[in-house]
Amino acid sequence: VDRTELQVLLTRVADGGISPECALDSLVSGPLRDDLGYADLGFARVDTHRELRTGDPEVVFAAGKTAEETVAILCALRETSKERPALATRVPEKTAVAIQAAFAEALIDHAAACAAVGPLPRPRGAVCVVTAGTSDFPVAAEAAFVTRAFGANVEQIRDVGVAGLHRLLAVRRTLDAADCVIVVAGMDGALPTVLAGLIETPLIAVPTSVGYGTSLGGLAPLLTMLNSCAPGVVVCGIDNGFGAGVFAARLARRTG
Amino acid sequence: VDRTELQVLLTRVADGGISPECALDSLVSGPLRDDLGYADLGFARVDTHRELRTGDPEVVFAAGKTAEETVAILCALRETSKERPALATRVPEKTAVAIQAAFAEALIDHAAACAAVGPLPRPRGAVCVVTAGTSDFPVAAEAAFVTRAFGANVEQIRDVGVAGLHRLLAVRRTLDAADCVIVVAGMDGALPTVLAGLIETPLIAVPTSVGYGTSLGGLAPLLTMLNSCAPGVVVCGIDNGFGAGVFAARLARRTG
Amino acid sequence: VDRTELQVLLTRVADGGISPECALDSLVSGPLRDDLGYADLGFARVDTHRELRTGDPEVVFAAGKTAEETVAILCALRETSKERPALATRVPEKTAVAIQAAFAEALIDHAAACAAVGPLPRPRGAVCVVTAGTSDFPVAAEAAFVTRAFGANVEQIRDVGVAGLHRLLAVRRTLDAADCVIVVAGMDGALPTVLAGLIETPLIAVPTSVGYGTSLGGLAPLLTMLNSCAPGVVVCGIDNGFGAGVFAARLARRTG
Amino acid sequence: VDRTELQVLLTRVADGGISPECALDSLVSGPLRDDLGYADLGFARVDTHRELRTGDPEVVFAAGKTAEETVAILCALRETSKERPALATRVPEKTAVAIQAAFAEALIDHAAACAAVGPLPRPRGAVCVVTAGTSDFPVAAEAAFVTRAFGANVEQIRDVGVAGLHRLLAVRRTLDAADCVIVVAGMDGALPTVLAGLIETPLIAVPTSVGYGTSLGGLAPLLTMLNSCAPGVVVCGIDNGFGAGVFAARLARRTG
Amino acid sequence: VDRTELQVLLTRVADGGISPECALDSLVSGPLRDDLGYADLGFARVDTHRELRTGDPEVVFAAGKTAEETVAILCALRETSKERPALATRVPEKTAVAIQAAFAEALIDHAAACAAVGPLPRPRGAVCVVTAGTSDFPVAAEAAFVTRAFGANVEQIRDVGVAGLHRLLAVRRTLDAADCVIVVAGMDGALPTVLAGLIETPLIAVPTSVGYGTSLGGLAPLLTMLNSCAPGVVVCGIDNGFGAGVFAARLARRTG
Amino acid sequence: VDRTELQVLLTRVADGGISPECALDSLVSGPLRDDLGYADLGFARVDTHRELRTGDPEVVFAAGKTAEETVAILCALRETSKERPALATRVPEKTAVAIQAAFAEALIDHAAACAAVGPLPRPRGAVCVVTAGTSDFPVAAEAAFVTRAFGANVEQIRDVGVAGLHRLLAVRRTLDAADCVIVVAGMDGALPTVLAGLIETPLIAVPTSVGYGTSLGGLAPLLTMLNSCAPGVVVCGIDNGFGAGVFAARLARRTG
Amino acid sequence: VDRTELQVLLTRVADGGISPECALDSLVSGPLRDDLGYADLGFARVDTHRELRTGDPEVVFAAGKTAEETVAILCALRETSKERPALATRVPEKTAVAIQAAFAEALIDHAAACAAVGPLPRPRGAVCVVTAGTSDFPVAAEAAFVTRAFGANVEQIRDVGVAGLHRLLAVRRTLDAADCVIVVAGMDGALPTVLAGLIETPLIAVPTSVGYGTSLGGLAPLLTMLNSCAPGVVVCGIDNGFGAGVFAARLARRTG
Amino acid sequence: VDRTELQVLLTRVADGGISPECALDSLVSGPLRDDLGYADLGFARVDTHRELRTGDPEVVFAAGKTAEETVAILCALRETSKERPALATRVPEKTAVAIQAAFAEALIDHAAACAAVGPLPRPRGAVCVVTAGTSDFPVAAEAAFVTRAFGANVEQIRDVGVAGLHRLLAVRRTLDAADCVIVVAGMDGALPTVLAGLIETPLIAVPTSVGYGTSLGGLAPLLTMLNSCAPGVVVCGIDNGFGAGVFAARLARRTG
């Protein structure tokens, strides 16, 4: 909540610059005046105050939106936040083209299906994104892109599955040095448990929908991760690299 | 049941205008004569008495029907009900074209995939349709179209998700003034709970199949809504804007 | 939100009776001052403003609470609301004894496992609670008790299952005359669909966990109700007579 | 098992026409000699003795087979059974063309996706196939086709859903006169329960995968039917009109 | 529906013995007069006309009812039907004692948890109840008791699981001679499929909740049976020996 | 199937010692005469020929049977097989007492809830049973008891969970030397995957129902094991140590 | 892994104090010598090196273990770690008594069902544990106990459910000041989403098995949390306060 | 782990050829030096030591990889293992073309969607792959291809479903003579149970996703197999012919 703005309002009441009734109207609609908290685009209400509240601006989930809608929301977000880029995730290929056309400086990662408009923040802290298999890469790429865009350094380590433990051991020093580790795995989802028994770094597990039929679209690795016998594993939704990246970046910014 | 018709029949028995045996035959087949209760189109039996029983005429679920079948049922319904339009939901694009060709006056909402043939009834009462995210719009559009066609005023409020509560607070007055609120939400489905803790208006929740993989095709928000810790939330099936609109219109017509 | 209280605060700021800084502190913590919005009992924060916001006071869910805790919360609620009784649902037998000891005037319904402390409000409107089988009675009793305590008249109709339709037809007039119908059913959960095709009254369906093994603890009738082919059926969670009662009473108070 | 053949074998042993050792070899491989019980086509072993054992010949499930494979199996079946047609179900459009080309006399029902090669048996007994909605028609068509091909008369009654009970009552006499009723329904799956409470005819329920999202691909009506509160409802798998037709025909042939 | 009664009513209208208005009142409440179609016991509405409609009287599901309630309903049913016994299923031990005390002639089967009051009907046709393992016996016992009480002869064959096929083959003649076979099986639920490939008799499968943890309370054998690759298997709900018995008896009475 | 017995029968036919008709009757009921293939105890048909067919005698699943029934079946099995002990699994404490009373020489393992009557066979080959946590012990004990009773040596290794990999590495030599490894694990079920990536020995995974709420009664580790990213892991049902022991012993007897 | 120990070993090899063969034997069994990495108690292998690897010692999951076993493992852990207490979770009441008897200084929290033996570490950083309802308290108590025992300060905030948002707003400053927030919620599980939209602190959500029947033992709030539309919510398994406490303490120790 | 290499390292330390510090660096990263245990291709880390550890080389899961990636990994594997071919499974048609272009000697099985590059090993032992229906063929083909490539002889037996048991009996001798049997079945999945009751050969069951709607994508046969009442059935994941082939080949190589 914007404390300063409230202070201004109350001082004006004390000064007689605004009547108590009028101030009342503003206040009953919410902690902030309606016209300040969001931008109404007709088809969407962009939350322009989210960065004030949570430290991070709103992000566009571009799947299911037209290219025009995504570009319009990115414009609104770009105006709101000066120090953070406007982001879009799950960007369809057609929308990616429209974003590049609208914003020449846009940074687009096609593997991650993500776009950032505006300069990336100076990174603090370090996050490792580990994948169990090559097929988990798109989810890991989303996690890595979002981590960087939310203000942390990021390093990717690919294809270090449990079936060959020495591949894991070879990267242990890198993992120990990180502020946070994101582990992306499908199929049996056993990698986070094994890693959590080896390292001290806080670990976020992301199940993916990759696998044979019994994977049940990612439910199998999700359950494995939620039941991890190594303590201290926390979990995001299936294929939700975005959520893992946001959490990891927040953690790394605080500790890095 | 049509009391008048029965009265006519019994009076005719008393008058000797019809034999008891003949009346018996009519009556054992149901409360109404066979040939009056529905129109048999061969591929469908249109329930022409539903409006008499429930106050609202039958509606065509057009998905999985040919354009010709949908148009034929709309014709039958149009003849039955003089004061209410004949409606079709889940109208494929191709069927929409056929409806427009068959009925010049047809009102078609492409976002809602709905069509109405015949004049809309004079609206009574007011219903608000609230969506949590922009991707939930098609379900909300169906709910809104049906609400209006079933005889209530309707207002849509889009994109007021829980992650930015002040957007909610900004529209609270509108919600308080309505006779009924329909809340459409996917992903975590938390919006109905939050709203139900803030307002007095009866609230109907509709889960949508929008979301990342863990949404399980809408089961996740459905369960959230059924378990709402705010009392008095009632729920419709996944993506079932139609059912919510019917219930909301009935409620608004009674209270508005 | 208590508009009056805010007006008092702002007038005091205008009058100089309170400094803007001090008012600021109150306001940033919420629309109302902390010490007004709830009663902190240590083990629970009773929401004393819920009636102001939603028209209905908070209710104690007594299962899993000690008898002492339930009685203490009922005391707090009793002081808050003068015109509505303090309610507890899912009251274990032992807690029921403690409530009766603490409040001589308490109204306790053992079949419903509910208790009300304080005079019942003058009822407006009428609600029918229909059960498909005798085993569904406890859930129906909870729905009926809550409906009455929340301010509507209530009538119960028992054991009118679908396998004997004439039992249904015999009560149709009563159902037609009500403002709202709650239908409680386990096993196949078909009763709400059949009723919704016969009457005009808004209908709320409540699945119960009664049935043979394939009922899956109530999931089977829940799914039946959510998929009802009769339009306008809305649904509450399994065995949730409470939620149905709250919604039905709100609806009946508006239309009755 | 072919008793006659065994008798021949044993008589030959008694006669010395075959040595005990040689007879032993035949018998340990099964109740019948290997080369008699099936036709080995390389990619399939057609069960040419099924009619001897169960009264009905094997049927080709054509989905997932090439058109050539289906035609080849139909040939083998055609040679085996003189009095019953060779049948194929779930026939893709392309395979239907190939069947018609290979067997000029083939009877093909495109709605049912079924084909029969050879004269239909003289029908005994009567089966009614009832559908709740027009979208359930393909499953009902499969049930009807199979019923007829397996030797019973069949009548279809379409679109008599629960939401308009009088449509049901209008056809009750037909249902009462049948030897068996197949009820095909999706969405809430309530129709079999309602019918089973009204008639005396044995009733087989078939759930379909038709419906809004909460139908869960037919699991919802399946559960409804398995939990029917009207006794004596038996159930087939989702969309399995074939199984229902086989059972119904067997029943009708015995009672008709 | 009781045709005779209707005829009487209409003749009285024709005779002037009753006014059309008065007859109208009776008829709009249902096809029959309210006071004839069921017996209202306060806590239950016993469907006294079910035998007229469906050929079989209502049955008491005693689980979840008090011993007094069950006895009272049995009394009401006993008065209604002269030629069929009043039945109760899922009878708790305590209720069984009360039934025996109230009706000296009551026939009680403790393994089946069933009771019959009144003389059993003369049996027609024959039903075999087959169990795969000894633990499935209670469900089979319920099926057998109900089959007999609903008017068919019944024979039980126990413990002929698939793992020893020769046990099956030894009883094949008995199965071939029956009018209907009920197969009760837990664990893998494979027995109905194997039997259906060997015999011609119509076959009803009943899954039980017996088994190791992966049986999921009977869901595993239920799914096996619904997916049977032998055509013509129909299925009842988990542990629902009652439903199987009703269906089997109806079938046997028609064909025996 | 007992080839010798058939040879005797056929020789007698050839000799005229038995008529072809009489031999026919024996043979049509199955490959063997009815009275030889099983022992009919009234409540159970003990498969006395299973050892002839599959190399291993039948085993009593004692849960859900009375102590008397279990003892009677053990007697029947004891008479059938001279070289293998009669076994019972899932033995309730009360039944264990009855077995010890009936058979002084009975070997009873209370942790495994298993009993063996008769001398154990001379062991061939070696099986290791590994448990991830101490709570998985009862399932492992059942697997070990059955392995030994089915004719293989067995060694148990307890509590070598994935969270401390060095415990695993410490026992690797033992695992490499075995003919088969059974891995019993609950919670995340990751142990089989990790082991299968380290050793060459064939590995059978058994999920257990041990764990926090998200284990879903063992479904979580079951899915993990079925989705193992290390190839060559095969799986038994939840808590099914018995099945794992049977398979492992067969394998070890062949290779040891 | 203990680098120092390895260095000692290798120096001894260089010094000739140990032969390469002997060193080889130690090393092939694992990164550390067998006899150092765990304490073998016969029924359990206590991982005495976990603190070296992951910064935190092993913890006893006491459910399903005898009181004697739990006490023995606590002894072994107590000897291993000097600076951290030995912990047990899910302690049955009987085991709690045994622990108190064995270790006079043991700290036992009966609500949390947890025990700590040995001095608590000096806390760093601050964690808030928030509960939505009073019934979620045991899970929150476990989370709080573990957080403190793993080295972070902890504050509990109870009963601030979503249905009364002002209760949330009243504690926002406390939440903003924390290094990590654990949110424990059952029923609809909406609280983490709402909080995550209001604050900047990293947030861990824990679903509980509290709720009406549709909660499905905690699956409903689990899914809500995994699908949170507020980014950056990570989730633990149902009722797993332990895992949340471990993660939160690690995070707080790094940032506090 | 490569013992020889370690011995060389330690001897060099003893000889002073390498400093303890330097050796320490190698060892802490894992039992083997980083640069030896895998080949880092950038997008994948090929486990070149898997054959040393588990006796079988790594295999490429080609679904979800580009044709270029699959070819590159095959190259790396080809260099690592001289005596075993490099394998790829789930090969898309386009990738198959690329493999054939890159490796003229590649053996490609289009039905199995598998490719092998390099000479097949000399086979030991015999495996039978049995399919219940023709639609299960692709999964069986994958199992057969992998079995052969992993070093065992393989024979396929097609279309011997349970509905015609004599087809099974006809091939019993072949099954008895094998070292291992793989049974592939969809729909009801009953075939493995029936076979396991007839033969002595170890049996691996593979469920397929073939079937009508109630098959639930293969969950139905998976559950049937896990609950098999014939002891000693072990199970692989849905459609996982690969895993079954690996296990069967290992078993056959040991016993053949």
Side-chain angles (χ1 to χ4, degrees), chain B residues 1-3 7 16 19 65 68 96 104 106 113 131-132 134 139 152 156 171 175 177 213-214 241:
Chain B
V1 189
D2 191 328
R3 216 182 151 82
Q7 204 155 22
S19 70
K65 295 196 177 65
E68 292 69 32
T131 44
T134 53
V139 177
Q156 290 203 53
V171 299
L175 302 178
T214 318

Side-chain angles (χ1 to χ4, degrees), chain D residues 1 3 53 173 197 235 255, chain E residues 3 53 172-173 197 235 255:
Chain D
V1 189
R3 214 181 152 84
R53 288 194 319 276
R173 284 197 185 178
V235 185
T255 58
Chain E
R3 217 181 148 83
R53 290 195 316 276
R172 197 162 57 176
R173 283 199 185 175
V235 186
T255 60

Side-chain angles (χ1 to χ4, degrees), chain B residues 1 3 53-55 172-173 178-179 196-203 222 226 231-232 234-236 242 247 251 254-255, chain C residues 1 3 53-55 172-173 178-179 196-203 222 226 231-232 234-235 242 247 251 254-255:
Chain B
V1 189
R3 216 182 151 82
R53 289 195 317 277
T54 71
R172 197 161 56 176
R173 284 199 183 174
D179 294 293
L198 290 174
I199 63 172
E200 193 171 346
T201 318
L203 186 156
L222 170 63
L226 288 168
V234 293
V235 185
C236 287
F242 168 62
F247 190 93
L251 199 158
R254 289 180 164 240
T255 59
Chain C
V1 189
R3 217 180 148 83
R53 289 195 318 275
T54 71
R172 197 162 56 175
R173 283 197 186 176
D179 295 294
L198 290 175
I199 63 173
E200 192 170 348
T201 319
L203 186 157
L222 170 63
L226 288 169
V234 292
V235 186
F242 169 63
F247 189 92
L251 197 158
R254 288 181 165 240
T255 59

Side-chain angles (χ1 to χ4, degrees), chain D residues 59-65 70 87-90, chain H residues 134-135 187 210-212:
Chain D
V59 171
V60 194
F61 180 73
K65 293 197 178 64
T70 296
L87 286 196
T89 62
R90 303 288 162 114
Chain H
T134 53
S135 314
M187 301 187 76
V210 170
Y212 277 70

